[in-house]
Amino acid sequence: MKQNLVQSIPVFEAEAITVVNGANLGDSLSFATELDLDDTYELSPNAQLKRLSVETDADGNLSVARDTTLGHSGDTLHLDCCATLMSTTGNTTEVLILVEVDDRGDVEAVYALPLAQMAPRTEYTLVGVDQDKARSKFAEVACVSFSLGTCITMASGQQRPIEDLQIGDMVLTRDDGAQQVRWIGSTTVRAVGEFAPICIRAGALHNANDLFVSPDHRLFIYQRSDALGAGRHELLVRARHLVNGHTITQHDGGFVDYYQILFDEHQIIYAEGIAAETLLVDTRTRPALPAKLSAKLSRSLPGHKNRAHMEFEVGKRLLGHPDTAEILRRASTR
């Protein structure tokens, strides 16, 4: 039986974003058929991002997962559209609209997933509604990425900046030795809020230089002793769960250039000396791949499932210590 994929995303309840000027005065942000261009919205001063757990099945269908802060477990989620809002300063913010539907087909709730930080008491004018690119934008949220300048260990042992990698280059992997790069993607996004990169400072995990990765990027850590009580020595840990405010921090502000590396199989490679995962092709991330990729590369990469290391991930529950990073650093050396 195939296991569905679960991710936790930060959303606003749609009622927190309402029209303050325009045709739909007083209405909240809604799905595409109810939106009017040029309506002006504001975020409620008391609005807070909440976690919506989203489950994706083998066919790419979305539903509300268990252990969610919002919504009703099992309800269907429709990725309705990508709304583009422009502030009075001219900055644009893309917001993905998700609609929760019960088993009778009735709308339970509408959620807004902002792809950049939104501020209260700021006017945002709706300047675009796109139903076609919503799926690819949602896929980008699920992609794990390294930042510009990250040095990757090649099969030769050479350290090469990720932006200098080429398709066909041989990279050292933890499980399968030298492997060929099949595709490299890059995006430039606003480094704000939930999407700001995590900085793992030099030495924090025995890395020679600072490493910047996307928040949900999973790092591979081998503990000589089971310091976290995970019941195993090998762990996959999401970077966001290691933030401690000093050796591992989140860098908010400006823009960040993110790079994704794809192999025939989901791999663990070495970035600034830290073992970290590469892009996993699944029903969430597949729409982020360009159409020019072959059918084999975009749809049927057999090595992107059933990898042994996928069982090593530990959840936030075991990572609640204020200095988990230091515990793991010490556990990896003794």
Side-chain angles (χ1 to χ4, degrees):
M1 182 177 178
K2 293 183 178 179
Q3 184 177 9
N4 290 346
L5 304 160
V6 178
Q7 67 188 113
S8 175
I9 57 175
V11 299
F12 288 116
E13 294 171 279
E15 292 79 7
I17 306 173
T18 56
V19 178
V20 294
N21 187 22
N24 296 308
L25 184 64
D27 289 352
S28 59
L29 194 62
S30 189
F31 34 89
T33 56
E34 295 190 353
L35 297 177
D36 284 308
L37 295 180
D38 296 327
D39 275 359
T40 300
Y41 291 81
E42 278 192 12
L43 177 67
S44 168
N46 300 320
Q48 292 185 339
L49 287 167
K50 298 180 181 178
R51 288 278 170 184
L52 175 67
S53 293
V54 179
E55 188 169 14
T56 308
D57 68 16
D59 296 319
N61 301 309
L62 306 180
S63 61
V64 180
R66 289 181 294 179
D67 301 322
T68 185
T69 303
L70 293 174
H72 300 86
S73 177
D75 275 1
T76 297
L77 282 172
H78 293 290
L79 191 55
D80 182 74
C81 67
C82 178
T84 303
L85 302 171
M86 179 179 289
S87 70
T88 53
T89 60
N91 293 323
T92 57
T93 298
E94 291 180 316
V95 179
L96 297 181
I97 306 299
L98 295 100
V99 180
E100 179 184 352
V101 177
D102 64 19
D103 55 7
R104 299 186 304 273
D106 296 328
V107 174
E108 285 275 2
V110 178
Y111 305 109
L113 170 58
L115 301 184
Q117 194 170 34
M118 295 184 67
R121 300 187 180 88
T122 299
E123 292 188 347
Y124 296 93
T125 300
L126 182 66
V127 296
V129 178
D130 193 323
Q131 292 182 281
D132 295 328
K133 71 176 183 179
R135 180 65 69 165
S136 63
K137 286 291 182 180
F138 187 70
E140 290 177 10
V141 175
C143 287
V144 297
S145 307
F146 300 96
S147 70
L148 176 75
T150 300
C151 283
I152 304 298
T153 301
M154 310 300 292
S156 64
Q158 175 194 8
Q159 300 296 305
R160 186 180 299 175
I162 194 168
E163 62 269 23
D164 293 341
L165 290 182
Q166 302 291 326
I167 293 173
D169 281 349
M170 303 300 289
V171 170
L172 180 65
T173 70
R174 177 186 178 274
D175 299 312
D176 299 313
Q179 291 294 312
Q180 191 175 70
V181 175
R182 292 300 187 187
W183 176 74
I184 304 169
S186 64
T187 55
T188 300
V189 299
R190 285 186 183 169
V192 293
E194 287 280 337
F195 304 99
I198 305 298
C199 173
I200 302 164
R201 297 197 178 279
L205 292 174
H206 305 293
N207 45 314
N209 301 303
D210 292 352
L211 172 64
F212 289 84
V213 294
S214 53
D216 280 320
H217 209 129
R218 291 179 293 192
L219 311 175
F220 178 89
I221 297 172
Y222 178 83
Q223 308 174 96
R224 294 183 182 273
S225 60
D226 183 13
L228 294 185
R232 56 183 176 271
H233 294 280
E234 298 170 312
L235 306 176
L236 280 178
V237 181
R238 293 183 188 269
R240 71 161 70 248
H241 293 157
L242 296 177
V243 172
N244 57 23
H246 51 282
T247 62
I248 301 182
T249 56
Q250 189 160 29
H251 279 233
D252 194 294
F255 291 83
V256 60
D257 296 315
Y258 276 140
Y259 286 78
Q260 304 85 34
I261 310 177
L262 179 67
F263 294 87
D264 284 338
E265 298 184 280
H266 182 250
Q267 296 288 356
I268 304 295
I269 63 172
Y270 298 92
E272 302 295 358
I274 294 178
E277 69 172 328
T278 59
L279 178 62
L280 172 66
V281 177
D282 56 27
T283 52
R284 297 169 301 175
T285 60
R286 191 173 295 144
L289 299 176
K292 66 181 180 181
L293 288 181
S294 67
K296 176 184 176 182
L297 212 56
S298 63
R299 296 178 189 170
S300 58
L301 284 169
H304 284 251
K305 57 184 179 181
N306 302 324
R307 294 288 279 173
H309 59 241
M310 298 296 286
E311 303 298 322
F312 299 159
E313 183 172 358
V314 292
K316 190 175 182 180
R317 182 178 61 83
L318 290 179
L319 303 170
H321 192 280
D323 213 358
T324 298
E326 177 59 18
I327 293 172
L328 291 173
R329 188 187 71 80
R330 283 184 292 199
S332 65
T333 57
R334 50 172 150 160

